[in-house]
Structures are given as structure tokens and as C-alpha cells.
Amino acid sequence: MQELNPTQIAQRLHQLTEVSVALGDTHDTAALLDRILRVAKHMTDADGGTLYRPSEDRKSLCFHISINDTLDIYQGGVSGKPIDIAPVPLYDNYGNKNIASVAAYAANFNQSVNIEDVYKADVFNFSGMRSFDTAFGYHSQSILTVPMTDHEGELVGVLQLVNAKNPETGEICVFTQTDQRFIEALAAQAAVALTNQLLIQQLENLLEALVNLINIGIDEKSPYTGRHCQFVPELTMMLAEAVHATPHGPLAGFRMTDADRKELWLAGLLHDCGKITTPVHVVDKSTKLETIFDRIHLVDTRFEVLLRDCEIRALRARIEPGANAEAIEDRLQSEQARIKADRDFLRHANVGGEGMSVEDQERVRRIAAYRWTGPDGREAAFLSDDEVRNLTVRFGTLTDDERKIINNHIDVTVRMLESLPWPKHLKNVPEYAGGHHERMDGKGYPKGLTKEQMSVPARIMAIADIFEALTACDRPYKKGKKLSESLHILGKFALNGHIDPDLFDIFVRNRVYLQFAHKNMDAHQIDEIDESQIPGYRP
């Protein structure tokens, strides 16, 4: 085949320029590789072509795409048809570079190979290609193999073209030096585009890995919080998809792209990342007196001292002249019974619960006024002010100060996320993740936002966060609520301005709660639901 004339070269240069622009606009790696091979075939009028990719261990070349016009073959790539051909090894069993295979040679030495006729060449082993010809009744002749390397000289692929054709006669001819230079230029540009794609994917994978790293740290610190960090994004996406599919109502205009979904999912994973700074004894506080350990055992010891002192007083009284042993014994039994009853009461109060009565709180204070003698011989109040403050917590196990520490996690979350240079397609992550404790009426935290000031995804995550917390049955400080009770609480929240009533309507109407329950809740929690009895919802 004759070399190209100036007009033909100019046409190819123009084509190469257009391809360069197109490669920069292609964001799908599979489509990018497919386009690279097709452009190379078209530019050289080749009948067939193969694109190899290095294996993960970089010890072999794998067939990624194979096209042959004469045989009507299109395998690999985006075709959906697998290529059932063994990879080409880059090294032999002794670790030496494979120089028998033309593709391996080009890859190992970063050098193009242009063969005029494979049946006349004796440099490389073309037995595989000849076997292919025999099996399919084909005749391979000219072959051009060009390596694709990135800016660091790292192999990213190998282009191999077969049987250049004369565009006028259709006869098989050789690949010219001009063909080779153009394909080398294309391979270089394609390698840059492919490397950019790989770098972007690697950066996204790194970001997700860092997110998982934070969650692993939280999980190691508190398995209960780690589970929560996995389930909230899952439930968030379930509700978001239901809203996305809603054709009617005030949220009918909400739609998500795949990029939006990724952004929301990432925000869900990070919504409690600030808890990595929250003390463990506060995050997992299972009893009212728990700090690093449960201080109820110290209180038990003091009760034992009171019981012992009662017995010592009784023994001393018995040895007094004229002592009434029966009366002394009755008084001892009465005093010890009262002490044991108070001990059992404090043990029960220490567990915490849905509510502690004013009477019980006063009983704690009365017990606190007892006097006891410590190991240093000094008399002191039976309970310290801090112990009284903890034991009289009305709901749950946290004091007001500890609740502030817990609530501070969202401030830390917002500060952590807002400190990061988020790319454009992830710029909403801080807003989505930082808004799940806001309320529709502006009484939430940390910023006191109203419904109008919040995005739909942030409002969705608020519902997911509350529902998961209500139903979680692995927390040391509470039992997981049944489905009906959780929906009843959420319904009240929808009525009192806590959560978005429109989103709650979709949450119930589309049975999002049931989808999540069957997947993640214990069977005993899933009871019968009469949706007509859910506050704030009208079937």
C-alpha cells in the first residue's frame, strides 16, 4: 500500500483531533476502550482488532475487546459477549520476559511491532493466530501491535490491528509507517484519557475507602453506632427512591441522577462521623451510673458496709447487761430489710427507662442522705452529688451534660465535612449529612433550620435516622421498639413539626418501613400494622 498523500494525512490529523476531543468527553471506561479500538480500525482500514488489558497482578495480558468485520465477531467490551481466550503471559516460569508473543513483546519493551505477513515471519510465535485462522477459515496477514502507556511509562493496554485493507480495492496490504505513527499517536492520547478515567475511579474508591475507614473506627469504638452508620444510608436510599418514583403530590418534582444517588449515599455513610470524637462511655452508656465502668458496684459496696454496721451495732447491743435479744434481732432484721430494699431500688433505677416518677427521684435523694463511714474512717453522704444527678435522670441514662456531649457529634460532623474540599458533584454532602437532627419547625440543631431551608435529601435522612434508632435492638441502653410503636412515634413527629409530613406520607404509603423491616429488623419486632391508626397519615 502506498504512503498517504498530504490531503489524506490532513484528513487523518483532523480525525485524530476530533477523536482526542471525543476521548476527553467520554466518562464511561468501557465505552472509552471500545471507541479507542474502533477508531484505530477505522483510521487504518483494518479488518480486525484486539485490545488487551494487563491483569490485576500485571503478569499477563487479558483479551478485553475483539472485533473482526469479515467474521462478524464482536466480543468483550460493551458487547456483553465474553472472550473465552486464555491470557497471554508476560513472563515465563523463570520470571523472564515473554518475547515469543508479539503482544507480550510490545508490552514488555514498550515498542510497536509491525509485521507484513505473519505466515512469513519467524521472529514471533503465531501458532495461536494460525490456529484461529484454521478454525474460522480466516487468513491473517498484516499485523500492527502498539503498546499503550501512561505518563509514568506504566502499561495500560495493547492495541493490535489485523489485515490493513486498501480502501480502493479491498485487498489486504501492510500497515504503513504513517499508519503506525498515527496509531502510536492515538494510543498515546487514549492512554492519557484512560489514565484520567482510572485516576478518577481510584480517587473515588479512595474516598469511599476513607469513609469506610472512619466507620470502621466508629464501629470498633461502638459496634452499635457502626451498625447505625450502615443502616441509615440504606434506609435513606430506600425512601429517596420512593420519593423519586412519586408522580403526584408536593414532592412529585423530586428526581435523582446516578450522581445524586452517589452523593446521598456518601452523605448517609458520613452522617455520624463526628461520633468518632464522642467518649465511649457516653455513646454506649447502658446504665445511669456507667462511666468507664458501672458505678452501681461501688454503691453496692456501701450498702454492704451499712448492713455490716447494723450487724455490729446489734452484736454490741446484745452484750450489754439486760439486753433484750429479741427486740434487738427484730430491729436488725427491720433495718437490714430497709437497706436491702433501697439497694434493690437503686439497682432498678440505675437501668433507666422511658420515665422515672417524681416520687422515685425523691427516694433517691432520701437514700443519698444516709451516712456511711468510708475506708478512711470519715463519715460522708451515701451518694455523691454526681451519683444523685445520674440516678435521677428521668428518661434514659444520659444527664443533660452527657446529652450535650452526644449532641455535639453533629457539630463535629459538620465541621469535619465542611473542612473538606468537596468536588462539585459531591458539594452537598455536608448539608445532607449535617441536617439529620434539624426539625421542620426550626427547633432542631445544630443550625435551627426550618423545612424551607432544608433540601429534600436532608429531610429524608432525618426520617431514616430516627426510624433506625427507634427500631435498633442492639443498643445496650434500650430495647428495639416494635414496628407499630415506631410508626406511631414517627407519626406524632410528623404532626408536631419534627419531621416532614409529606415525606412521612410516602414512607408509609410506599411501605418503605416494611421493606426495611423485613431486611434488617428482628422478626419479633414486625407486628401487624393498621395504617389507619398511624398519627398524621391518611390512607
Side-chain angles (χ1 to χ4, degrees), residues 473-499:
C473 59
D474 63 345
R475 310 295 167 85
Y477 47 83
K478 62 177 281 294
K479 293 181 179 180
K481 298 186 182 298
K482 290 186 180 294
L483 198 53
S484 58
E485 186 180 0
S486 301
L487 290 172
H488 187 82
I489 294 172
L490 269 187
K492 287 186 174 180
F493 283 179
L495 291 174
N496 67 15
H498 196 134
I499 63 173

Side-chain angles (χ1 to χ4, degrees), residues 7 57 89 117 199 245 263 280 338 344 371 462:
T7 301
D57 60 7
D117 191 335
L199 286 174
E263 185 178 39
V280 178
R338 175 180 54 80
D344 293 341
R371 308 299 291 179

Side-chain angles (χ1 to χ4, degrees), residues 384-398:
S384 68
D385 291 342
D386 180 70
E387 289 168 339
V388 172
R389 185 165 52 252
N390 278 271
L391 284 168
T392 54
V393 168
R394 187 174 180 186
F395 293 100
T397 61
L398 298 176

Side-chain angles (χ1 to χ4, degrees), residues 383-423:
L383 297 175
S384 68
D385 291 342
D386 180 70
E387 289 168 339
V388 172
R389 185 165 52 252
N390 278 271
L391 284 168
T392 54
V393 168
R394 187 174 180 186
F395 293 100
T397 61
L398 298 176
T399 64
D400 291 340
D401 289 339
E402 288 167 338
R403 206 166 287 281
K404 288 178 182 177
I405 293 173
I406 286 287
N407 292 347
N408 183 59
H409 84 273
I410 192 63
D411 293 289
V412 177
T413 294
V414 172
R415 290 204 307 272
M416 287 173 64
L417 297 182
E418 288 184 346
S419 70
L420 297 175
W422 294 98

Side-chain angles (χ1 to χ4, degrees), residues 41 99 140 210 281 344 346 433 450 455 495:
K41 275 180 73 284
I99 60 175
S140 301
L210 288 173
H281 69 274
D344 293 341
L346 288 189
T450 62
S455 65
L495 291 174

Side-chain angles (χ1 to χ4, degrees), residues 1-9 12 114 166-168 173-182:
M1 181 178 179
Q2 295 182 347
E3 289 290 344
L4 302 177
N5 59 47
T7 301
Q8 291 172 317
I9 291 177
R12 283 199 179 183
N114 193 339
N166 187 313
E168 297 178 359
C173 57
V174 301
F175 290 95
T176 67
Q177 288 300 309
T178 304
D179 289 334
Q180 180 174 324
R181 294 302 297 163
F182 270 103

Side-chain angles (χ1 to χ4, degrees), residues 58-61 88-92 96-98 103-104 107-108 155:
R58 308 193 72 80
K59 292 183 179 180
S60 60
L61 291 175
V88 177
L90 289 172
Y91 305 93
D92 62 21
N96 300 314
K97 292 180 179 179
N98 179 8
N108 281 323
L155 182 73

